[in-house]
Amino acid sequence: MKKLLAFVMAAAMTLSLAACGGGSSSSAGTSTPAGTSSAPAASSTPADTADFKVGAIYINGQNDTAGYTFQHHSGITKAMENLGLDPASQLLIVDNVAEDYTAVSNAIDTLAGQGANIIFGISFGYIDAMNDKAEEYPEIIFSHATGYMGNDTNFNNYFGRIYQARYLTGVAAGLKSLEMGNNSIGYVAAYNREYAETCSGINAFALGVQAVNPDAVVHVNKISTWGDENLERQAAQALIDTYDCCVIGQHCDSAQPQLVAAENNVFGCGYNSDMTEQAPNAHLTAAIWHWDVYYQAAIETAMTCGGAENFVTEMGGNAYYAGLSEGFVDASTLNELVAAPGTAAAMEAVRELIDSGEWDVFSGVKLNITVDAEAGTAAVEQVDAPLMSDGYELKDGEVVEMANPEIVPAGGASVTDDVIKSGMNYNVAGVMEG
């Protein structure tokens, strides 16, 4: 199959999501993708919401100005304000909580004692404590980001197709590498094959890079922790010093890789929040979350579902999973000051394909993207081609050679959601770790 599609730049789409409850619909709405669990239409929130309390457990500080915790905190406060709640008096926070069972359990006990009606835990390592505490406190709703556990009543998990946004940022990185005449791109990763969340992000970023610069190599420096600013900084510097990387991508919590890129007169693609403010002369774009989309749905449901035991049913299941077309993930506004000419058109062309459902990242159809910077257009050629791994996978904690490095045959359907969410343990061709 070959298709040639020409796209001119278009205005960014306006997306929103309805919360769930049951009754008349709220002011915002969107559809749920096939095979995912999201919320049905919601009733109006109760007139008296003064006693409702939202609890949140953060891995970093609530006053962070960029990155992972910052984006979650911004999403929660925005959602609360949209629902007529006052974050200053109705948001209870325990922050800087390590991924330690006892620490998380103590944080939950604190929030429960303060009267939290719903508790959000934003880091993967909180999952076991939240699972146990959901049973201990059946009258409280528990909602866990990036996890996989849940029950049938008061405990769910939420995540999304952030790999779609990472592909878009990979396009920006690849075009910048072409402009600079440098095929070496770096990526600071919390983990790699150990978690499908990190592995799929690396792979999507690399495939986006390759769509515009097939000769590029993505060098991954793994720091084996979600958030350590010193290690993030050191890893980014090592990628520049060792491989002469001209663009630094990241899957870690802070803006340190972008600051290092700026200090070395190279460029970068951030994560979680728009990091242009932190590195205005280096940051191209970031894969970002609009967490308020989920938080508004979850909080409104918690207020209208008639009790914690009804929460999971009213949310349509215990696993929320949405993507670009629902407005849950995206690439941040392109920094035209430093982006290569034609980048915006190329990113918009890919966004249109993903949003329409015509194409997705991990299929047996690759994109070949060329830009006409002067005309402001991008040509996207869809070509049947197998999705190939680098030939290795993680098994029982060891990286071993794969029996078959072909992941998807030419023209084949995309890798399924369950693999992307929890089963991707290989890197695609063109990724090098270490």
Side-chain angles (χ1 to χ4, degrees), residues 7 39 50 97 134 164 168 190 364 366 386 389 403:
F7 295 84
V97 178
Q164 295 175 336
L168 294 175
K366 74 173 184 178
S389 78

Side-chain angles (χ1 to χ4, degrees), residues 281-304:
N281 296 317
H283 187 251
L284 298 167
T285 184
I288 63 171
W289 294 90
H290 294 301
W291 290 112
D292 58 290
V293 168
Y294 171 73
Y295 287 126
Q296 185 164 335
I299 294 169
E300 186 168 6
T301 298
M303 291 192 296
T304 60

Side-chain angles (χ1 to χ4, degrees), residues 112-400:
Q114 294 173 340
N117 299 98
I118 183 170
I119 297 175
F120 297 109
I122 71 168
S123 197
F124 186 89
Y126 297 172
I127 192 167
D128 290 323
M130 292 196 74
N131 182 54
D132 291 344
K133 289 293 184 178
E135 183 175 349
E136 181 179 338
Y137 295 107
E139 75 282 4
I140 297 174
I141 294 165
F142 291 82
S143 196
H144 185 274
T146 79
Y148 58 90
M149 290 184 181
N151 62 28
D152 295 332
T153 56
N154 69 327
F155 180 36
N156 77 335
N157 63 79
Y158 56 103
F159 199 55
R161 297 182 173 86
I162 193 64
Y163 68 89
Q164 295 175 336
R166 288 198 182 280
Y167 188 99
L168 294 175
T169 65
V171 170
L175 286 170
K176 193 64 182 179
S177 72
L178 280 178
E179 182 186 48
M180 298 179 72
N182 182 338
N183 293 328
S184 184
I185 293 175
Y187 194 102
V188 179
Y191 298 93
N192 185 0
R193 294 178 176 93
E194 295 86 350
Y195 294 102
E197 175 188 342
T198 49
C199 190
S200 63
I202 292 166
N203 290 340
F205 180 80
L207 291 170
V209 167
Q210 294 165 12
V212 295
N213 184 359
D215 295 324
V217 174
V218 175
H219 297 276
V220 176
N221 196 343
K222 182 178 70 174
I223 61 174
S224 298
T225 179
W226 294 109
D228 184 315
E229 292 193 6
N230 289 329
L231 289 179
E232 292 170 16
R233 168 170 284 275
Q234 294 166 17
Q237 189 64 57
L239 287 165
I240 295 168
D241 293 343
T242 305
Y243 300 110
D244 189 31
C245 294
C246 63
V247 181
I248 302 295
Q250 66 176 86
H251 187 152
C252 52
D253 285 358
S254 82
Q256 289 300 321
Q258 305 310 304
L259 296 175
V260 171
E263 292 162 10
N264 287 269
N265 296 313
V266 297
F267 303 91
C269 294
Y271 180 44
N272 291 305
S273 64
D274 185 348
M275 295 177 171
T276 303
E277 181 179 348
Q278 285 71 38
N281 296 317
H283 187 251
L284 298 167
T285 184
I288 63 171
W289 294 90
H290 294 301
W291 290 112
D292 58 290
V293 168
Y294 171 73
Y295 287 126
Q296 185 164 335
I299 294 169
E300 186 168 6
T301 298
M303 291 192 296
T304 60
C305 65
E309 69 277 8
N310 302 319
F311 177 75
V312 166
T313 298
E314 290 298 309
M315 285 295 290
N318 63 19
Y320 177 97
Y321 193 60
L324 191 69
S325 62
E326 295 78 33
F328 193 34
V329 306
D330 205 348
S332 66
T333 302
L334 185 68
N335 184 359
E336 298 279 8
L337 179 67
V338 295
T343 300
M347 291 174 67
E348 185 61 25
V350 177
R351 183 184 281 105
E352 290 280 348
L353 284 176
I354 296 174
D355 187 46
S356 69
E358 181 179 344
W359 177 85
D360 206 0
V361 173
F362 297 117
S363 68
V365 180
K366 74 173 184 178
L367 303 184
N368 292 330
I369 304 170
T370 56
V371 300
D372 184 331
E374 189 172 331
T377 61
V380 181
E381 184 184 26
Q382 297 186 54
V383 180
D384 286 354
L387 179 66
M388 302 296 295
S389 78
D390 66 353
Y392 296 90
E393 63 183 336
L394 189 71
K395 279 191 174 181
D396 300 322
E398 299 291 332
V399 178
V400 298

Side-chain angles (χ1 to χ4, degrees), residues 44-86:
S44 299
T45 56
D48 182 9
T49 60
D51 294 332
F52 191 86
K53 303 291 186 184
V54 175
I57 306 173
Y58 295 158
I59 192 166
N60 301 119
Q62 60 187 282
N63 296 319
D64 282 2
T65 57
Y68 185 71
T69 294
F70 166 81
Q71 199 71 355
H72 277 279
H73 181 62
S74 298
I76 291 173
T77 55
K78 180 179 179 181
M80 291 180 69
E81 290 166 354
N82 288 344
L83 293 169
L85 303 177
D86 177 19

